[in-house]
Amino acid sequence: MLTVREGQERIVAQIGNAVPPEVLPVTRALGRVLASDVEAPFDVPPADNSAVDGYAVGSADIPSAETRTLDVVGDLAAGVVFGGTLRPGQALRIMTGAPMPTGADTVYPQEVVERTGERVRIGPIDKGVNVRLRGEDVEAGGIVIERGTVLRPQEIGLITSLGIWQVSVHQRPRVALLSTGDEVAEPGTPRRPGQIYDANRFTLRGSVEQCGGQVLDLGIVPDARDELTARLREAAAMADVVLTSGGVSVGAYDLVKEVLAELGTIDFWQVAMQPGRPLAFGAIGGTAFFGLPGNPVASLLAFMLFVRPALWKLAGRRRLFPPTWQARTLETLRKRRGRREFKRGVLAYRDGGWEVRTTGPQGSGILSSMVAGNCLIVLEEDRDDVPAGEAVTVEPFAEPF
Ligand code: AMP
Ligand code: MG
């Protein structure tokens, strides 16, 4: 039996390099992963400029005590360059962001001066204040955003602030998705007695998209050897990853195993975890294959633990695992030593600390436990029952980025 960590390490080691890059306009790059470093083509900001609306002066004119009066020789808007040089005894009215005039190195905020006609009275101030220096944000040639970074709105804005409008990002890994089982019915169609509507293909679809993948939906395959063989072959030919749910345990109709043995090199793992022990992982030709359990909670959990890092690696991301936190459990948690258990939790901050409770019944078919929750409670292999009040590891459900 494998530990969760061992399973994850094997998968990450076996998954190939990131899918190739493509060049996209920044307006279509949100959520994509940078394929090469973004370097600054010039200093940011490109020139010393004023951080406030006020008056630019040369520091030689700053009085050390008392006040002094200077002539206001002009009015400078943002985006305009002052043509002349500021001389002793002169000040220039300047707006936030306007380049500093030659001869000035300090800006008085307008609230601290007294303006009368074309003259302004100033007092002591620190030399050099209220000036944003050329290159203080980024120096020309410096790396502004590293490859492997997911582009959020702020990264996009930083890129466009450099005058860049197209970027090299990884393509989205293609993930072929199918559900197995005679009992699984397509939502929106009538259902025969004994059938259940498909949940997994849709939790998995959303999960793939949240990971930056592109879904190729191959629908539901009945438990019939020939059809399964044909559909899996088709899936592998068109995708970087094939993802199925159901049919990997030991039921009489669990054909995925048999069929895969013919099509590719697949390991059937027993992972020391709860819920969701069985997992199939391997390759059909050059395409990675994951056979997830059929129970809806187990299949979504298996996705989070084993498929997400693989997709993130294929998508070119640097970080493959989400951060975890510590919280105090509000209830006693039943736990069997020797396996890693995952409960669905509700995490909240109260009275100066993070607290977590479970969402109630934790059966691996109870998908509403995922709906009610906002995190996984992770109980490590070496733990027994956890009494209320103890610290536990929590992993918040991932955001789209
Ligand atoms: P299996 O591993 O195929 O025996 O499936 C285990 C359990 O998960 C059974 O109760 C199945 O009915 C259920 N199941 C399998 N596939 C799905 C699906 N796509 N959506 C919801 N439940 C499913
Ligand atoms: Mg089945």
Side-chain angles (χ1 to χ4, degrees):
M1 188 124 38
L2 290 178
T3 66
V4 170
R5 177 50 68 188
E6 285 164 353
Q8 289 173 326
E9 280 167 2
R10 286 196 194 186
I11 286 167
V12 168
Q14 213 166 306
I15 284 289
N17 292 327
V19 294
E22 62 182 332
V23 174
L24 285 186
V26 288
T27 47
R28 289 181 48 217
L30 187 67
R32 293 296 194 93
V33 182
L34 262 188
S36 40
D37 296 338
V38 172
E39 290 179 12
F42 47 74
D43 288 330
V44 184
D48 296 354
N49 68 92
S50 179
V52 295
D53 292 336
Y55 292 86
V57 304
S59 52
D61 274 336
I62 298 173
S64 52
E66 308 287 310
T67 61
R68 175 173 297 175
T69 301
L70 305 177
D71 293 329
V72 179
V73 296
D75 200 325
L76 196 62
V80 180
V81 176
F82 184 63
T85 298
L86 213 58
R87 293 182 204 297
Q90 295 184 333
L92 183 73
R93 176 143 166 79
I94 193 167
M95 297 297 137
T96 306
M100 291 293 286
T102 311
D105 56 14
T106 301
V107 181
Y108 283 87
Q110 61 189 20
E111 307 81 49
V112 307
V113 304
E114 192 185 310
R115 170 101 184 233
T116 314
E118 293 310 296
R119 296 178 67 72
V120 68
R121 182 193 294 277
I122 59 172
I125 198 171
D126 290 335
K127 176 182 168 177
V129 293
N130 300 319
V131 176
R132 303 191 283 221
L133 297 176
R134 170 182 176 154
E136 77 173 18
D137 192 351
V138 191
E139 280 180 25
I143 293 175
V144 185
I145 309 175
E146 278 179 66
R147 57 197 286 233
T149 303
V150 181
L151 298 178
R152 302 171 298 172
Q154 52 268 49
E155 277 85 20
I156 302 272
L158 186 55
I159 289 168
T160 59
S161 77
L162 300 172
I164 298 169
W165 68 279
Q166 48 182 21
V167 284
S168 175
V169 293
H170 289 283
Q171 291 171 20
R172 294 188 298 150
R174 295 159 304 167
V175 182
L177 203 53
L178 46 95
S179 294
T180 70
D182 287 338
E183 79 283 23
V184 183
E186 186 68 34
T189 69
R191 162 179 79 155
R192 293 194 311 274
Q195 281 198 307
I196 53 160
Y197 282 121
D198 195 348
N200 297 345
R201 219 166 86 244
F202 299 92
T203 54
L204 295 173
R205 182 190 188 98
S207 302
V208 167
E209 287 176 347
Q210 278 190 341
C211 285
Q214 192 181 339
V215 173
L216 310 171
D217 190 338
L218 296 186
I220 301 163
V221 201
D223 293 314
R225 166 182 272 280
D226 291 348
E227 226 181 311
L228 193 54
T229 309
R231 206 78 73 87
L232 283 172
R233 197 173 268 140
E234 180 193 356
M238 65 205 269
D240 302 302
V241 176
V242 174
L243 210 54
T244 67
S245 68
V248 290
S249 50
V250 289
Y253 295 95
D254 291 336
L255 291 166
V256 172
K257 269 188 190 178
E258 258 176 75
V259 166
L260 282 168
E262 287 170 26
L263 284 179
T265 48
I266 314 287
D267 285 332
F268 289 85
W269 292 352
Q270 297 293 315
V271 184
M273 62 184 275
Q274 219 270 324
R277 211 159 68 141
L279 176 76
F281 172 66
I284 305 176
T287 300
F289 173 85
F290 291 88
L292 306 183
N295 279 310
V297 173
S299 75
L300 183 50
L301 179 65
F303 180 93
M304 292 174 175
L305 296 177
F306 302 111
V307 185
R308 187 169 56 194
L311 285 186
W312 280 356
K313 184 173 179 194
L314 283 172
R317 282 171 74 134
R318 246 175 314 137
R319 253 193 30 216
L320 301 186
F321 296 96
T324 56
W325 312 83
Q326 294 287 309
R328 204 157 299 288
T329 176
L330 291 171
E331 49 188 284
T332 297
L333 302 170
R334 309 287 299 166
K335 166 69 170 60
R336 192 197 295 167
R337 179 188 278 269
R339 64 186 190 186
R340 185 170 287 219
E341 294 187 15
F342 297 88
K343 302 186 191 293
R344 275 68 68 207
V346 179
L347 180 65
Y349 189 80
R350 191 138 26 94
D351 300 330
W354 288 97
E355 295 175 344
V356 69
R357 62 177 172 80
T358 68
T359 54
Q362 297 286 307
S364 69
I366 302 178
L367 193 52
S368 56
S369 70
M370 284 274 186
V371 173
N374 61 10
C375 71
L376 293 176
I377 303 172
V378 184
L379 302 178
E380 290 82 1
E381 288 79 357
D382 58 359
R383 293 190 92 146
D384 298 304
D385 288 351
V386 181
E390 271 195 18
V392 290
T393 302
V394 290
E395 180 184 315
F397 287 153
E399 356 67 270
F401 300 112

